[in-house]
Amino acid sequence: MATAPSDFALYCCEILSSAGPCNAKRMFGGFGLSTDGLTIAIIADLGGGEKLWLKASDENRLTWEASGCERFTYTSSKGGEPVSRGMNYYSAPEDAMDSAHAMAPWARMALQAALEAQNSKKPAKPRARRAPPPKTTKSPR
């Protein structure tokens, strides 16, 4: 049975609605927030309560950093070092958490980053199919 989204996850979906209808799905102890099948944000509790992290790209990373947003990192189970590679998410700006209107430009930027990430994925190679073995027929004698 699926766990219902937290009140915070539902609120985040509400303020991200300018990017499209948002769904919260349980993921890695938190939630993945998606619109049209694209993950635009995650909610994770890294010890300080649930926090919204929005999808970023290499092209808009400086915008997130200039706004004082922190990059998502987690602690490695091997060595206890902070890890951020492969996780291109930034904390939502505090003032954007107040309303859907305030969040709108950030939500659209997260959606654009998710679209870019989807489009950059290489299409899967079709699997080579083996030819079926030749059918043997018994010739009448």
Side-chain angles (χ1 to χ4, degrees):
M1 184 173 167
T3 303
S6 67
D7 289 342
F8 183 69
L10 293 173
Y11 176 73
C12 289
C13 280
E14 182 181 317
I15 64 173
L16 291 170
S17 63
S18 65
C22 183
N23 298 306
K25 184 177 179 182
R26 189 53 103 166
M27 181 178 89
F28 304 119
F31 294 92
L33 306 180
S34 62
T35 185
D36 293 329
L38 296 169
T39 301
I40 62 170
I42 59 174
I43 295 174
D45 184 346
L46 302 176
E50 290 180 310
K51 189 171 189 175
L52 177 64
W53 303 87
L54 299 166
K55 181 79 172 160
S57 67
D58 290 338
E59 290 75 27
N60 66 26
R61 179 176 50 83
L62 293 177
T63 302
W64 294 99
E65 292 172 357
S67 296
C69 302
E70 64 180 291
R71 187 164 183 170
F72 179 84
T73 59
Y74 62 93
T75 304
S76 167
S77 59
K78 297 177 183 176
E81 296 293 319
V83 177
S84 65
R85 77 178 163 267
M87 297 297 293
N88 212 6
Y89 290 88
Y90 280 82
S91 60
E94 283 297 317
D95 58 346
M97 294 297 295
D98 294 336
S99 69
H101 178 74
M103 183 61 75
W106 300 98
R108 288 191 296 270
M109 195 163 43
L111 177 60
Q112 182 62 39
L115 286 167
E116 289 171 12
Q118 179 188 47
N119 291 336
S120 71
K121 291 180 181 175
K122 295 178 183 175
K125 292 181 182 178
R127 292 177 64 174
R129 295 183 182 215
R130 289 185 184 174
K135 292 184 180 181
T136 57
T137 56
K138 294 182 180 178
S139 57
R141 291 191 181 184

